[in-house]
Amino acid sequence: MKIDLENIDVKRIREILRFPLVYPLGRIFIKLKFRKDKITSVSYEYALDLVKHNYMGKNKVVITNILMPSELFFALNLFPLLPEVASAFTASIGFADKTLFHSEEIIYSKDLCSVHRNVIGLTRGGILPNPDFIISTSHPCHSALHSFFLISQFFGGEYLPIDIPLKNNNFIGYTAKKFEELFFLLAKKLKIKNPIYGLERAINYSNLARNYLVEINELRKKYLVIDGKNFLDYAGMIFSTFGSHWGVKFFKTLRDEIKERIKKKKFLPYKKRVYWLHLGPYFKTDFFDWLRSKSCAIVFEESSKVYWDELDPKDPFNSLAKKVVNARIFSDVEERFRLALEGVKEYGAEGVIIFNQWGCRQGAGNSYILRRKLIEKGIPAIVIDGDLIDKGNFPLEQIKTRIEAFLEVL
Amino acid sequence: MEEGKIKELYQKIKKDALISQRSVFYFCAYVPQELIYASGFLPVRILPSPIYFERSDEYLPKYLCPYLRSVTEEILKEEKRPEMAIFTDGCDSSKRIYEVWKYLNLSKNIYFLPIPFGENKEDIEYFAKNLKDLFYFLNKEGKKENIFESIKLYNLGRKKLREFWEFYLLFYSMDIREFLDLSWNSKNRRGGKRFYLFSTMYPFELIEYMESLNLDILYDDSCFGIRTQEEIEIIKEDPFYTLSYYYLKREGCVRRRNIKDKIFKIKERIKGENVSGVIFYSLKYCDPLLFYIPILREELKKENIPSLILEDDFTMGIKGQIRTRIEAFLEMVG
Ligand code: SF4
Ligand code: SF4
């Protein structure tokens, strides 16, 4: 069935999504359609639950950014919506051209991060529900702080920014206090008594999911059975499901699938191995197929790194604060350099691809010197200036030519 | 002193500062000059002239802040290593360009000052701690009592600035005592069309060009403009807390979320002044500004205050269009 994206009736779809029956039917459909692909099945079931929570009009809607601990929301039975995930999804179904266009009615500049332009367009077009709470950390980027404020001004929603004193362990308490205050504020607004029980559950789920992801990453060190391109797609699950049973289910399914493939010796035959920094394009492109056709696999990615310790259920706010304050991904050049070196060593990568998102000043800003630092260490590295969402900013042929030359060096 | 001499004097200050061991370069209005001065150094704000990007392109993607890229380009071309530079995490570009400066060793000492978005007590304390660290980084033996003296001097400077805002450039870059000794002719308004300028950073040449077209900028609401003119009130014995409170709470920056307040201030300022509208100098790739303008513009619309956006990348590539854009704008607003 081909959906006519141009003439999609958003209002009608939003009305349909208010019917409870849609969801069990949707689940049956997903289970049938993806019965052979359990990973996709679980991620779609999660997406359906996310839609159910946010579109049926019964729950409060919270928009947040990638490094805000989702555990705090799941503890309160909130299903957080992330711009990256919403944007990746719209781009993957070919809808982003339209939503980016919608955003221009509000923001005139195309020089802003397309993830956030897209999310403004999605809200403007009524595709995303108007948020009740808009919560963002100051790390990894300020784009969320700015775009969320704009959304709150145009579409409503309580704006709650959280400062992260990055890598300053003297200020763990400062961040922990902010998380704690936010948590109890939300609990009060949602009239949840004893919210701390929910938090304990969320922390336990988070630790379970983390353990599966750690195991997955260990297996990937030895066996190449799933290309990293898939893991770039799973980044949304890493950023948005920790603290929920979906996170546990997804990463367990993924771990089982990897083990199964190893057992059946379904190893990928690619000869060249690269480590990938930042996320990757989410719109339809043959880029990754082309990369594989050149016998090149992505063996690990910045976004899959488990950089935090197990959370302490007895000290939830402090351990969540530690997780965010010490976030190693999407960080400064020294940290990304260390990550790349680890990636190269542990996953046997021969080179590094640094993907730049147009408009992502925090990600792209240190990419040129990061490349130089890697080359100084004898590790081939290349920077691709592209876009996650806006295919207009992804000069495919030019990128292929450059990557081809790069692969020859490996 | 004549208005026309500002740029000349500024260029000289900048040139001397490049080789002086007492100068501290800074780029963000959250860096307290009072603190630098009290530590025994001279705070010098760097404002480059429009420049063609050549050498910095190797290190900085072109979609980072064009103001800081211009500064970097200027330093690379000058081939001099200033004594000290302070960056902040006022925006994402700034925190990354700081790393590039470190990598290239562009200054002998490079410091990074984190700034919170929050303005509550714990945020003020956090920033106060960061300011304290900066102070003792600048001078291990620094005396914090000197900060109050320094605050007094800069408050006098702010008072003096009310007469003539074009002197901001000097206020932020020269020895405060020398600034207080300057005497100048009060401004003779040209009688051209009047505007309210809103931006983060813009090149000085923009004002020169506008003036050559007989367009008068009555208010400069940019990072180092009128929004920084409030005087510092001593609210605690601790100078770091006092400074932190002031810098986080003053009218300040586009990072702040005080839209209502901002609109109120704009209205107050232009009341009875016969201002034709607000001109936004929209600096490309400046995220805090690019996300802020649509909100402010929407509010201005509600107040029937016309506005015009001029997009540029600090190179004044917009020059050719300014006249026609403004003429069309004036025709539209009548
Ligand atoms: S791509 Fe970069 S700027 Fe955009 S949301 Fe992600 S971290 Fe922020
Ligand atoms: S706030 Fe804007 S002008 Fe200031 S450094 Fe950042 S990008 Fe540049």
Side-chain angles (χ1 to χ4, degrees):
Chain A
M1 184 179 68
K2 193 161 170 15
I3 302 170
D4 180 5
L5 292 172
E6 275 311 302
N7 297 312
I8 212 157
D9 183 348
V10 174
K11 227 169 130 201
R12 184 91 192 97
I13 293 179
R14 292 280 303 264
E15 273 164 20
I16 294 171
L17 292 176
R18 294 178 83 93
F19 284 111
L21 198 60
V22 168
Y23 299 95
L25 290 176
R27 190 152 300 125
I28 294 170
F29 173 77
I30 290 169
K31 282 203 181 277
L32 286 174
K33 180 150 171 72
F34 300 104
R35 63 183 176 280
K36 289 198 181 131
D37 180 355
K38 288 194 191 118
I39 302 170
T40 308
S41 178
V42 177
S43 63
Y44 278 23
E45 281 178 68
Y46 158 70
L48 192 68
D49 210 8
L50 180 81
V51 170
K52 182 177 154 194
H53 265 79
N54 287 300
Y55 285 80
M56 275 189 70
K58 290 192 175 149
N59 298 299
K60 297 281 180 201
V61 175
V62 54
I63 296 190
T64 192
N65 70 325
I66 50 172
L67 293 187
M68 180 70 205
S70 47
E71 292 84 349
L72 293 176
F73 303 122
F74 286 117
L76 301 169
N77 205 24
L78 292 167
F79 269 55
L81 288 168
L82 275 71
E84 284 77 1
V85 180
S87 294
F89 180 69
T90 33
S92 70
I93 60 166
F95 199 57
D97 290 349
K98 191 166 174 163
T99 45
L100 287 171
F101 182 69
H102 269 311
S103 74
E104 286 168 30
E105 288 168 26
I106 295 179
I107 40 171
Y108 58 91
S109 174
K110 289 188 181 170
D111 298 325
L112 296 165
C113 167
S114 54
V115 168
H116 288 278
R117 278 164 52 218
N118 193 47
V119 106
I120 289 167
L122 284 167
T123 320
R124 171 75 190 79
I127 297 158
L128 275 185
N130 282 6
D132 296 290
F133 306 110
I134 311 182
I135 302 165
S136 168
T137 54
S138 57
H139 182 64
C141 69
H142 293 179
S143 292
L145 287 171
H146 298 308
S147 81
F148 286 8
F149 179 62
L150 184 142
I151 289 174
S152 77
Q153 293 293 302
F154 278 87
F155 307 104
E158 197 169 339
Y159 173 75
L160 300 157
I162 305 257
D163 282 297
I164 303 295
L166 201 58
K167 295 220 191 132
N168 192 338
N169 278 303
N170 295 327
F171 283 94
I172 297 287
Y174 165 77
T175 308
K177 192 164 166 258
K178 293 208 172 220
F179 286 160
E180 189 172 349
E181 281 171 4
L182 171 76
F183 181 71
F184 287 108
L185 177 87
L186 292 177
K188 200 171 153 202
K189 288 187 185 257
L190 298 166
K191 299 195 177 63
I192 296 178
K193 284 187 197 136
N194 295 326
I196 215 75
Y197 293 132
L199 188 55
E200 263 174 40
R201 185 193 57 221
I203 296 285
N204 286 330
Y205 279 149
S206 179
N207 283 338
L208 283 173
R210 177 190 173 279
N211 291 346
Y212 286 124
L213 185 54
V214 168
E215 202 182 333
I216 290 166
N217 290 351
E218 284 304 310
L219 290 169
R220 291 181 71 194
K221 284 181 187 167
K222 291 194 215 111
Y223 308 101
L224 180 60
V225 288
I226 297 183
D227 183 29
K229 152 65 184 151
N230 298 45
F231 281 87
L232 291 176
D233 293 339
Y234 306 150
M237 298 302 279
I238 299 177
F239 298 139
S240 62
T241 64
F242 274 75
S244 72
H245 72 283
W246 287 113
V248 181
K249 197 167 176 190
F250 178 81
F251 291 104
K252 179 180 181 310
T253 311
L254 185 56
R255 191 275 320 254
D256 292 347
E257 177 67 28
I258 291 176
K259 278 187 150 180
E260 185 69 16
R261 291 192 192 188
I262 294 170
K263 207 165 117 197
K264 292 187 177 155
K265 298 200 168 25
K266 285 187 176 172
F267 304 120
L268 300 181
Y270 311 124
K271 298 207 171 63
K272 291 175 178 165
R273 303 164 65 91
V274 293
Y275 175 80
W276 185 281
L277 280 143
H278 206 286
L279 304 169
Y282 287 110
F283 45 82
K284 282 202 176 70
T285 167
D286 70 358
F287 174 73
F288 291 103
D289 291 334
W290 172 85
L291 200 58
R292 284 188 287 263
S293 77
K294 297 282 157 196
S295 198
C296 177
I298 297 168
V299 288
F300 201 62
E301 331 66 38
E302 183 175 24
S303 50
S304 303
K305 179 83 186 171
V306 178
Y307 52 83
W308 67 100
D309 294 333
E310 257 192 38
L311 304 173
D312 181 356
K314 290 200 195 74
D315 194 8
F317 301 111
N318 262 310
S319 47
L320 287 171
K322 269 186 212 152
K323 176 179 175 185
V324 186
V325 168
N326 294 309
R328 297 184 61 199
I329 58 168
F330 308 135
S331 188
D332 56 77
V333 69
E334 292 306 329
E335 201 63 91
R336 297 184 97 198
F337 179 58
R338 276 193 290 271
L339 275 182
L341 292 185
E342 281 168 27
V344 165
K345 197 167 149 220
E346 294 172 355
Y347 293 87
E350 299 147 274
V352 174
I353 296 182
I354 308 165
F355 183 79
N356 272 352
Q357 149 82 339
W358 173 268
C360 176
R361 328 278 171 223
Q362 78 77 20
N366 56 25
S367 60
Y368 292 7
I369 55 169
L370 175 59
R371 177 181 157 266
R372 282 169 177 263
K373 281 169 80 78
L374 288 165
I375 290 173
E376 282 161 20
K377 273 267 171 206
I379 299 166
I382 185 171
V383 175
I384 307 176
D385 286 303
D387 204 297
L388 303 174
I389 311 296
D390 189 348
K391 58 177 182 299
N393 279 335
F394 190 71
L396 182 61
E397 292 314 315
Q398 189 193 327
I399 288 171
K400 281 183 181 170
T401 315
R402 291 185 53 232
I403 296 265
E404 203 147 23
F406 171 70
L407 293 178
E408 268 165 35
V409 180
L410 299 186
Chain B
M1 176 167 167
E2 297 295 328
E3 183 194 343
K5 296 272 191 277
I6 297 175
K7 191 167 157 189
E8 212 176 285
L9 180 55
Y10 173 71
Q11 299 292 16
K12 186 178 174 316
I13 294 169
K14 194 164 75 171
K15 210 163 161 221
D16 294 348
L18 266 175
I19 47 169
S20 152
Q21 292 188 350
R22 275 193 69 209
S23 296
V24 174
F25 284 3
Y26 70 110
F27 321 101
C28 169
Y30 274 101
V31 177
Q33 301 149 277
E34 298 80 6
L35 200 82
I36 301 174
Y37 196 70
S39 73
F41 284 93
L42 283 180
V44 182
R45 178 195 166 201
I46 293 295
L47 186 70
S49 291
I51 197 167
Y52 184 66
F53 300 112
E54 280 169 317
R55 298 190 52 186
S56 56
D57 275 356
E58 279 177 58
Y59 308 104
L60 298 168
K62 71 171 185 179
Y63 42 93
L64 293 190
C65 169
Y67 158 68
L68 284 176
R69 280 172 65 222
S70 303
V71 175
T72 310
E73 184 71 38
E74 200 168 274
I75 297 287
L76 283 167
K77 281 187 179 147
E78 286 282 343
E79 293 187 344
K80 300 217 168 66
R81 266 178 89 219
E83 183 66 25
M84 169 102 66
I86 302 176
F87 285 84
T88 71
D89 68 347
C91 68
D92 288 332
S93 279
S94 170
K95 67 186 183 201
R96 294 299 173 239
I97 295 180
Y98 155 75
E99 293 178 14
V100 173
W101 274 52
K102 289 277 267 193
Y103 176 76
L104 295 173
N105 224 343
L106 286 187
S107 170
K108 289 177 207 149
N109 300 284
I110 307 172
Y111 194 85
F112 187 72
L113 176 69
I115 310 161
F117 278 82
E119 297 176 11
N120 296 329
K121 190 168 166 283
E122 64 273 17
D123 307 306
I124 297 169
E125 282 166 0
Y126 164 61
F127 191 49
K129 168 79 176 62
N130 294 342
L131 292 180
K132 191 173 174 184
D133 290 348
L134 168 63
F135 184 66
Y136 292 111
F137 170 81
L138 290 168
N139 184 350
K140 263 191 239 125
E141 265 107 56
K143 292 199 175 51
K144 66 177 189 177
E145 304 75 56
N146 292 351
I147 300 174
F148 288 118
E149 177 58 27
S150 177
I151 289 175
K152 256 189 230 154
L153 290 171
Y154 279 92
N155 272 349
L156 287 174
R158 289 190 177 94
K159 220 177 256 167
K160 187 167 171 160
L161 271 176
R162 286 198 200 126
E163 295 165 34
F164 197 6
W165 68 259
E166 278 89 340
F167 280 83
Y168 276 122
L169 187 55
L170 299 178
F171 171 69
Y172 280 107
S173 310
M174 69 191 287
D175 187 320
I176 186 67
R177 290 176 205 274
E178 287 172 24
F179 178 80
L180 291 173
D181 286 342
L182 275 184
S183 62
W184 57 61
N185 306 329
S186 67
K187 179 147 178 161
N188 189 5
R189 291 275 164 215
R190 288 167 205 81
K193 287 284 179 194
R194 295 170 152 200
F195 291 96
Y196 186 101
L197 177 69
F198 191 95
S199 186
T200 40
M201 296 286 181
Y202 63 84
F204 195 74
E205 286 69 12
L206 174 74
I207 302 295
E208 288 181 333
Y209 185 66
M210 302 269 284
E211 289 185 345
S212 76
L213 299 177
N214 199 25
L215 301 169
D216 193 5
I217 298 297
L218 200 57
Y219 290 101
D220 162 18
D221 193 347
S222 66
C223 287
F224 288 90
I226 193 160
R227 56 177 90 138
T228 61
Q229 82 156 29
E230 286 160 47
E231 284 166 41
I232 304 180
E233 213 183 302
I234 311 289
I235 52 152
K236 260 200 179 184
E237 261 171 51
D238 176 12
F240 304 111
Y241 190 92
T242 292
L243 285 175
S244 171
Y245 185 91
Y246 168 79
Y247 276 90
L248 292 184
K249 294 238 182 222
R250 72 174 174 190
E251 181 182 350
C253 169
V254 286
R255 282 167 117 238
R256 291 198 67 209
R257 304 314 183 194
N258 54 345
I259 292 285
K260 293 261 163 329
D261 205 31
K262 178 56 89 183
I263 289 291
F264 176 77
K265 288 229 155 72
I266 294 179
K267 269 169 55 188
E268 279 293 294
R269 283 174 189 145
I270 64 177
K271 205 173 8 179
E273 292 278 16
N274 197 17
V275 165
S276 301
V278 174
I279 290 186
F280 289 104
Y281 177 78
S282 172
L283 182 66
K284 270 175 100 62
Y285 316 122
C286 174
D287 288 347
L289 183 66
L290 299 182
F291 278 115
Y292 193 89
I293 289 177
I295 307 171
L296 190 55
R297 230 182 157 205
E298 191 67 16
E299 294 297 321
L300 290 173
K301 227 190 267 168
K302 289 183 199 157
E303 301 289 341
N304 289 322
I305 301 171
S307 63
L308 169 73
I309 297 177
L310 299 175
E311 255 191 298
D312 189 36
D313 61 355
F314 216 84
T315 62
M316 284 297 285
I318 181 93
K319 210 165 166 175
Q321 293 177 31
I322 288 183
R323 184 197 292 267
T324 36
R325 297 278 316 274
I326 290 185
E327 273 169 9
F329 175 70
L330 288 173
E331 238 169 68
M332 196 187 74
V333 299

